[in-house]
Amino acid sequence: MHVYLYGGQVTSWKNEYGEELLFVSSKAVFKPPKAIRGGIPICFPQFGSQGSLEQHGFARNRLWSVDPDPPPFAVNNPNKAFVDLILKHSEEDMKIWPHRYEFRLRITLGPGGDLMLTSRIRNTNTDGKSFAFTFAYHTYLAVSDISEVRVEGLETLDYLDNMKDKERFTEQGDAITFESEVSDCFNVDKVYLSTPTKIAILDHERKRTFVLRKDGLPDAVVWNPWDKKAKAMPDFGDDEYKHMLCVEAACVEKPIILKPGEEWRGRQEISAVPSSYCSGQLDPQKVLNCD
């Protein structure tokens, strides 16, 4: 596992065979002011362009520090490796977002290889003012080919389509798939609402399933830039969209509001397991129901 202090960002997560599970673009820039294209960027205090700040807020473009005095989380398992990072308000940032806060991030690698990110955000305003924010773990998963990927757990749910001015629709398919001949798949950018705590992302070619579990994050974002947008992005290879998919635990539709002294907590955990896990066959529903 690799973690950059710039952005407080995980950029590498490998399985027991040394296979990379996160996507990072070959054209990614690893220095300010550009956010790192890939891994798990932190979107805070704004998701997307839903506000006055830069795209996805400023947390992914700031230098975090190792937290010297982290608050207690759950009881530490000695078999888990973790690092605690912290980001606080700066006078410069308060010019564009006038609030004081502490953002503590624990990144944990479990004994089975699971990757967990736990965020604690506290309002430290001294003027008595509340603040609101939206949030996402902008997770780039590495996949064999986007046409071989299937997302289970979001079917029949309502979603906001960012490609159609955030218009609300209901997912009609029995799963989310990405096929080049389906015209409305071009540049998939959807925010699914009131989503379950587990989502499965199946990579048929690699016979691998990512199981995403989340707490405190009611929404889920699914994004792939597809070919035209990929070619327009200077930090993204023209054909790299075929080998990545973003599935993100998020809070987008209803912003989180914190009064002074209040703290919010949001967690995302990802496991990479064989697609036959618990089922003996490629059955994503059984993966979802397996603990």
Side-chain angles (χ1 to χ4, degrees), residues 29 56 62 127 129 136 199 205 208 231 259 272:
V29 179
H56 292 322
R62 297 297 183 267
D127 57 7
K129 291 183 179 179
I199 301 167
E205 187 172 315
R208 174 188 297 151
K231 290 176 181 177
K259 297 176 182 178

Side-chain angles (χ1 to χ4, degrees), residues 224-245:
N224 183 292
W226 222 252
D227 55 348
K228 290 184 180 178
K229 184 166 184 178
K231 290 176 181 177
M233 297 161 64
D235 60 346
F236 200 97
D238 289 355
D239 293 321
E240 288 184 331
Y241 73 93
K242 297 177 182 178
H243 307 297
M244 56 72 62
L245 177 65

